[in-house]
Amino acid sequence: MRVITFSLRVFLFAGVIGIFVLLPVNCSGDQLHDIDFADLSNNSLDVFIISNLSSGSKRLWAHFSAVYLVTAFVCYLLYYEYKCITGKRIDFFHSTKPQPHQFTILVRSIPVSAGSSVSESVERFFMEYHPSTYLSHMVVHRSSKLQSLIKDAKKLYKRITHLQSEPNQPQYRHVGFFRHRVDLVDHYGKKLEDIEENMRLERSEVSLATQEVRAAFVSFKSRYGAAVAFHMKQSINPTEWVTELAPEPNDVYWPFFSSSFMRRWLSKIVVIVACILLTILFLIPVLVVQGLTNLNQLEIWFPFLKSILTITFVSQVITGYLPSLILQLFLKIVPPIMEFLSSIQGYICHSDIEKSACNKVLWFTIWNIFFATVFSGSVLYQVSIFLDPKHIPAKLASAVPAQASFFIAYVVTSGWTSTSSELFRIIPLIWSLIQKPFSCCSDEEFEVPSIPYHRDIPRILFFGLLGITYFFLAPLILPFLLVYLCLAYIIYRNQFLNVYAPKYETAGKFWPIVHNSMIFSLVLMQAIAIGLFTLKKLPLASTLIFPLPVLTLLFNEYCRKRFLPNFIAYPAEVLIKRDREDRNDPKMAEFYDNLVAAYQDPALLPIQFSANSDSLNSPLISAAQVRH
């Protein structure tokens, strides 16, 4: 919601300048003499964009002033929002009760000497080097097989419950080669007992020292003690005893833990290569879409469609609405893929996975939708564009305005359509209708969804990039963006109040992504302005714009030094103050007792489905045998 309201402020300000100043200036250009006002809808959009102004026109100084005004206004808002969210983050920390993740760090790449376990190595190390603050630890175990068994057991339990609660459901089925008639409840019940027995065996095996991963959650008696252990290198070898802040217990992503520094490093390389390949493959639908925007190219590809393409309505749909719709459909598969790639990078919490996926989706969208569309549609696949940095601003200035009509259509098809469909949640609705005939779950087991940040935040930020880039080139895009943002504000506010429920709390950690994206948008807009004023033979304006990207990057560096450290970790001043307040809290003793087991793998907790629970709760081997 802060991203939406921030964007609304930016484009309300830019909209006043763009619609009431720049748009009339653009329309007063030389091309107006060739425009038929009686048939304005069938004329080129060039009449509304900056290309309509002749080279050397004094009216271009209005655009020069607009670039400076909007840059200053956006930077002011970015500073205000960063400062405000940083303050709210600190206030949130002071107002919440003591949380396990405030006292805990995750330690990876734990060296283990011969004859000792990971647990013993952790306890020995922290008792020696952090004796006054160390409280307890919880070693991570390899539990992927056990998690799979628990998942199967839950499915069978739901089936049995569904059969028992629905008397109209068929209670018998013929199974096997000889088609024996069996009672489904008994049949599933025996299967469930077998799985529970396997769970008991697997749980006992996972508890052994041989199944320990070289990673552990280490808890401390104070927040400051945990912060000291996190910030300081624990070993002479920096690849051992690697520390990071622990997430909330319900935010931990248990299925994957990189057991070594090398494995984590290699997984990042694999993900980078996969992202590059996906980006290259995605250029195929982008090129197809660009072919659709060019009727001449389309007639060459499909000569048998020439007679159909001459129909005005068909040509308008194909060149206007269809390209954006095809891109939108292809983009639907990108967020799940990026989330999967982020999950194998070694992140140990859902929030970090979503943050990483959010960055990947954002830059993927900017590259494949903005740059690939701009250059493939206007410069005909010139690979040498980025090999000659001196001419990039000029090439951007000639290519970007030519795609104004495409991106206006993209805002309508992708922005308006996706935001409106969010209200009805059409895709989850269709998926639930498909699943319902095969589902054994009752309505009481419905899980409240959480918003996929990695899908929605990049979309809003990409529209922000389009708005900032095109506000002085084609101001006509601004009303469409404002309609999108107003729809987004109303619909997402309703979704947050009545539909979505948060699964974790990061206290504003996504905001640096927003800030960096807006800074990139400003610098891109300024680079286009430099190239544009050069092409329009206004060298003084081009020269005076040069300091603007430098000042913007300096402003970004200041914000990075001033605010970003508070988003990485809380300062000692805040931590020590809270620790002193907790000394007089009588509930802290109970909190420390619960902290010991706060980060236990849920798969290792006893779970009972069948009536025969005695054997499930009794371990196969004693705790003493586990240690030895």
Side-chain angles (χ1 to χ4, degrees), residues 424-463:
F424 303 102
R425 291 178 49 83
I426 292 176
I427 293 177
L429 175 62
I430 295 172
W431 180 243
S432 66
L433 291 175
I434 295 172
Q435 275 188 317
K436 194 169 184 179
F438 311 100
S439 175
C440 345
C441 307
S442 63
D443 295 335
E444 296 177 353
E445 293 164 343
F446 174 76
E447 184 178 357
V448 179
S450 61
I451 185 170
Y453 292 108
H454 62 288
R455 182 199 69 188
D456 293 329
I457 290 179
R459 182 190 299 143
I460 299 170
L461 294 179
F462 180 67
F463 287 135

Coordinates of all heavy atoms in Angstrom, one line a residue, residues 424-463:
F424 N -11.5 -10.4 -8.2 CA -12.3 -11.7 -8.3 C -11.4 -12.9 -8.1 O -12.0 -14.0 -7.9 CB -13.0 -11.8 -9.6 CG -13.9 -10.6 -9.9 CD1 -13.5 -9.6 -10.8 CD2 -15.1 -10.5 -9.3 CE1 -14.3 -8.5 -11.0 CE2 -16.0 -9.4 -9.6 CZ -15.6 -8.4 -10.4
R425 N -10.1 -12.7 -8.1 CA -9.1 -13.9 -7.9 C -9.5 -15.0 -8.9 O -9.8 -16.1 -8.5 CB -9.1 -14.3 -6.5 CG -8.5 -13.3 -5.6 CD -8.5 -13.8 -4.1 NE -8.0 -15.1 -3.9 CZ -6.7 -15.5 -3.8 NH1 -5.8 -14.6 -4.0 NH2 -6.4 -16.8 -3.6
I426 N -9.6 -14.6 -10.2 CA -10.1 -15.5 -11.2 C -9.3 -16.8 -11.3 O -9.8 -17.9 -11.4 CB -10.1 -14.8 -12.6 CG1 -11.2 -13.7 -12.5 CG2 -10.5 -15.8 -13.7 CD1 -11.2 -12.8 -13.7
I427 N -7.9 -16.7 -11.3 CA -7.1 -17.9 -11.5 C -7.2 -18.8 -10.3 O -7.5 -20.0 -10.5 CB -5.6 -17.5 -11.7 CG1 -5.5 -16.8 -13.1 CG2 -4.7 -18.7 -11.7 CD1 -4.1 -16.3 -13.4
P428 N -7.2 -18.4 -9.0 CA -7.4 -19.3 -7.9 C -8.9 -19.9 -7.9 O -9.1 -21.0 -7.6 CB -7.2 -18.4 -6.7 CG -6.3 -17.3 -7.1 CD -6.7 -17.1 -8.6
L429 N -9.8 -19.1 -8.4 CA -11.2 -19.6 -8.5 C -11.3 -20.7 -9.5 O -11.9 -21.8 -9.2 CB -12.1 -18.4 -9.0 CG -13.6 -18.8 -9.2 CD1 -14.3 -19.4 -8.0 CD2 -14.4 -17.7 -9.8
I430 N -10.7 -20.5 -10.7 CA -10.7 -21.6 -11.7 C -10.0 -22.8 -11.2 O -10.4 -24.0 -11.4 CB -10.1 -21.1 -13.0 CG1 -10.9 -20.0 -13.6 CG2 -9.9 -22.2 -14.1 CD1 -10.3 -19.3 -14.8
W431 N -8.9 -22.6 -10.6 CA -8.1 -23.7 -10.0 C -8.8 -24.5 -9.0 O -8.8 -25.7 -8.9 CB -6.8 -23.2 -9.5 CG -5.9 -24.3 -8.9 CD1 -5.4 -24.4 -7.6 CD2 -5.3 -25.4 -9.6 NE1 -4.6 -25.5 -7.5 CE2 -4.5 -26.1 -8.7 CE3 -5.3 -25.8 -10.9 CZ2 -3.8 -27.3 -9.0 CZ3 -4.6 -26.9 -11.3 CH2 -3.9 -27.7 -10.4
S432 N -9.6 -23.8 -8.1 CA -10.4 -24.5 -7.1 C -11.5 -25.2 -7.7 O -11.9 -26.3 -7.2 CB -10.9 -23.4 -6.0 OG -11.8 -22.6 -6.7
L433 N -12.1 -24.7 -8.7 CA -13.2 -25.4 -9.4 C -12.7 -26.7 -10.1 O -13.4 -27.7 -10.1 CB -13.9 -24.5 -10.5 CG -14.7 -23.3 -9.9 CD1 -15.2 -22.4 -11.0 CD2 -15.8 -23.8 -9.0
I434 N -11.5 -26.6 -10.6 CA -10.9 -27.8 -11.2 C -10.6 -28.9 -10.2 O -10.8 -30.1 -10.4 CB -9.7 -27.5 -12.0 CG1 -10.0 -26.6 -13.2 CG2 -8.9 -28.7 -12.5 CD1 -8.8 -26.0 -14.0
Q435 N -10.1 -28.4 -9.0 CA -9.6 -29.3 -8.0 C -10.8 -29.9 -7.2 O -10.7 -31.0 -6.6 CB -8.7 -28.6 -7.0 CG -7.3 -28.5 -7.4 CD -6.4 -28.0 -6.3 OE1 -6.8 -27.0 -5.6 NE2 -5.3 -28.6 -6.0
K436 N -11.9 -29.2 -7.1 CA -13.0 -29.6 -6.2 C -13.5 -31.0 -6.4 O -13.7 -31.7 -5.5 CB -14.2 -28.6 -6.3 CG -15.2 -28.7 -5.2 CD -16.1 -27.5 -5.2 CE -17.1 -27.6 -4.0 NZ -18.0 -26.5 -4.0
P437 N -13.7 -31.4 -7.7 CA -14.2 -32.8 -7.8 C -13.2 -33.9 -7.4 O -13.7 -35.0 -7.0 CB -14.4 -32.9 -9.4 CG -14.5 -31.5 -9.9 CD -13.7 -30.7 -9.0
F438 N -12.0 -33.5 -7.3 CA -11.0 -34.5 -6.9 C -10.5 -34.3 -5.5 O -9.6 -35.0 -5.0 CB -9.7 -34.5 -7.9 CG -10.1 -34.5 -9.3 CD1 -10.2 -33.3 -10.0 CD2 -10.4 -35.7 -9.9 CE1 -10.5 -33.3 -11.4 CE2 -10.8 -35.7 -11.3 CZ -10.8 -34.5 -12.0
S439 N -11.0 -33.3 -4.8 CA -10.5 -32.9 -3.5 C -11.3 -33.7 -2.4 O -12.5 -33.9 -2.5 CB -10.6 -31.4 -3.3 OG -10.3 -31.1 -2.0
C440 N -10.5 -34.0 -1.4 CA -11.2 -34.6 -0.2 C -11.3 -33.7 1.0 O -11.5 -34.2 2.1 CB -10.4 -35.9 0.2 SG -9.2 -36.5 -0.9
C441 N -10.9 -32.5 0.8 CA -10.9 -31.5 1.9 C -12.2 -30.9 2.2 O -12.9 -30.6 1.2 CB -9.9 -30.5 1.7 SG -8.2 -31.1 1.3
S442 N -12.5 -30.7 3.4 CA -13.8 -30.0 3.7 C -13.5 -28.5 3.7 O -12.4 -28.0 3.6 CB -14.2 -30.4 5.1 OG -13.3 -30.0 6.1
D443 N -14.6 -27.7 3.7 CA -14.5 -26.3 3.7 C -13.8 -25.7 4.9 O -13.2 -24.6 4.9 CB -15.9 -25.6 3.6 CG -16.6 -26.0 2.3 OD1 -15.9 -26.3 1.4 OD2 -17.8 -26.0 2.3
E444 N -13.8 -26.5 6.0 CA -13.2 -26.0 7.3 C -11.6 -26.0 7.1 O -11.0 -25.3 7.9 CB -13.6 -26.9 8.4 CG -15.1 -26.8 8.8 CD -15.5 -27.7 9.9 OE1 -14.6 -28.5 10.3 OE2 -16.6 -27.7 10.3
E445 N -11.1 -26.7 6.2 CA -9.7 -26.8 6.0 C -9.1 -25.8 5.0 O -8.0 -25.9 4.6 CB -9.3 -28.2 5.5 CG -9.6 -29.3 6.6 CD -9.6 -30.7 6.0 OE1 -9.7 -30.8 4.8 OE2 -9.5 -31.6 6.8
F446 N -9.9 -24.8 4.6 CA -9.5 -23.8 3.7 C -8.4 -23.0 4.3 O -8.5 -22.5 5.5 CB -10.7 -22.9 3.3 CG -10.3 -21.7 2.5 CD1 -10.0 -21.9 1.2 CD2 -10.2 -20.4 3.0 CE1 -9.7 -20.8 0.4 CE2 -9.8 -19.4 2.3 CZ -9.5 -19.5 0.9
E447 N -7.3 -22.7 3.6 CA -6.2 -22.0 4.0 C -6.2 -20.5 3.5 O -6.4 -20.3 2.3 CB -4.9 -22.6 3.6 CG -3.6 -22.0 4.1 CD -2.4 -22.7 3.7 OE1 -2.5 -23.7 3.0 OE2 -1.3 -22.2 4.0
V448 N -6.2 -19.6 4.4 CA -6.2 -18.2 4.0 C -5.0 -17.8 3.3 O -3.9 -18.1 3.7 CB -6.4 -17.3 5.3 CG1 -6.4 -15.8 4.9 CG2 -7.6 -17.6 6.1
P449 N -5.1 -17.3 2.0 CA -3.9 -17.0 1.2 C -3.2 -15.8 1.7 O -3.7 -14.9 2.4 CB -4.5 -16.7 -0.2 CG -5.9 -16.2 0.1 CD -6.4 -16.9 1.4
S450 N -1.9 -15.7 1.3 CA -1.1 -14.5 1.5 C -0.8 -13.9 0.2 O -0.7 -14.6 -0.8 CB 0.1 -14.8 2.3 OG 1.0 -15.8 1.6
I451 N -0.5 -12.6 0.2 CA -0.3 -11.9 -1.1 C 1.1 -12.3 -1.6 O 2.1 -12.4 -0.9 CB -0.4 -10.4 -1.0 CG1 -0.2 -9.7 -2.3 CG2 0.7 -9.9 0.0 CD1 -0.5 -8.3 -2.3
P452 N 1.2 -12.7 -2.9 CA 2.5 -13.0 -3.5 C 3.3 -11.7 -3.8 O 3.1 -11.1 -4.9 CB 2.2 -13.8 -4.7 CG 0.8 -13.4 -5.1 CD 0.1 -13.0 -3.8
Y453 N 4.1 -11.3 -2.9 CA 4.8 -10.0 -3.1 C 5.7 -10.0 -4.4 O 5.8 -9.0 -5.1 CB 5.7 -9.7 -1.9 CG 5.0 -9.4 -0.7 CD1 4.9 -10.3 0.4 CD2 4.3 -8.2 -0.5 CE1 4.2 -10.0 1.6 CE2 3.6 -7.9 0.6 CZ 3.6 -8.8 1.7 OH 2.9 -8.5 2.8
H454 N 6.3 -11.2 -4.7 CA 7.2 -11.2 -5.9 C 6.4 -11.1 -7.2 O 7.0 -11.0 -8.2 CB 7.9 -12.6 -5.8 CG 7.1 -13.8 -5.9 ND1 6.3 -14.2 -4.9 CD2 6.9 -14.7 -6.9 CE1 5.7 -15.3 -5.2 NE2 6.0 -15.6 -6.5
R455 N 5.1 -11.2 -7.2 CA 4.3 -11.0 -8.4 C 3.8 -9.6 -8.5 O 3.8 -9.0 -9.6 CB 3.1 -12.0 -8.3 CG 2.2 -11.9 -9.6 CD 0.8 -12.5 -9.3 NE 0.1 -11.7 -8.3 CZ -1.1 -12.1 -7.8 NH1 -1.6 -13.3 -8.1 NH2 -1.8 -11.3 -7.0
D456 N 3.3 -9.0 -7.4 CA 2.6 -7.7 -7.5 C 3.5 -6.5 -7.3 O 3.3 -5.5 -8.0 CB 1.5 -7.7 -6.4 CG 0.4 -8.7 -6.6 OD1 0.2 -8.9 -7.8 OD2 -0.2 -9.2 -5.7
I457 N 4.6 -6.6 -6.5 CA 5.4 -5.4 -6.3 C 6.2 -5.1 -7.6 O 6.3 -4.0 -8.0 CB 6.4 -5.6 -5.1 CG1 5.6 -5.6 -3.8 CG2 7.5 -4.6 -5.1 CD1 6.5 -5.8 -2.6
P458 N 6.8 -6.1 -8.3 CA 7.5 -5.8 -9.6 C 6.5 -5.2 -10.6 O 7.0 -4.3 -11.4 CB 8.0 -7.2 -10.0 CG 8.2 -8.0 -8.8 CD 7.0 -7.5 -7.9
R459 N 5.3 -5.6 -10.6 CA 4.3 -5.0 -11.6 C 4.1 -3.6 -11.3 O 4.2 -2.7 -12.3 CB 3.0 -5.8 -11.5 CG 2.0 -5.3 -12.6 CD 0.6 -5.9 -12.3 NE 0.7 -7.3 -12.4 CZ 0.0 -8.2 -11.6 NH1 -0.8 -7.7 -10.7 NH2 0.0 -9.5 -11.8
I460 N 3.9 -3.2 -10.1 CA 3.7 -1.8 -9.7 C 4.9 -1.0 -10.0 O 4.8 0.2 -10.6 CB 3.3 -1.6 -8.3 CG1 2.0 -2.4 -8.0 CG2 3.1 -0.2 -7.9 CD1 1.6 -2.5 -6.5
L461 N 6.1 -1.5 -9.7 CA 7.3 -0.8 -9.9 C 7.6 -0.6 -11.4 O 8.2 0.4 -11.9 CB 8.5 -1.5 -9.2 CG 8.4 -1.5 -7.7 CD1 9.6 -2.2 -7.2 CD2 8.4 -0.1 -7.2
F462 N 7.3 -1.6 -12.2 CA 7.5 -1.5 -13.7 C 6.6 -0.4 -14.3 O 7.0 0.3 -15.1 CB 7.2 -2.8 -14.4 CG 7.4 -2.8 -15.9 CD1 8.6 -2.6 -16.4 CD2 6.3 -2.9 -16.7 CE1 8.8 -2.6 -17.8 CE2 6.5 -2.9 -18.1 CZ 7.8 -2.7 -18.6
F463 N 5.3 -0.3 -13.8 CA 4.5 0.7 -14.3 C 5.0 2.1 -13.8 O 4.9 3.1 -14.5 CB 3.0 0.5 -13.7 CG 2.3 -0.6 -14.5 CD1 1.6 -1.5 -13.7 CD2 2.4 -0.7 -15.8 CE1 0.9 -2.5 -14.4 CE2 1.7 -1.7 -16.5 CZ 1.0 -2.6 -15.8

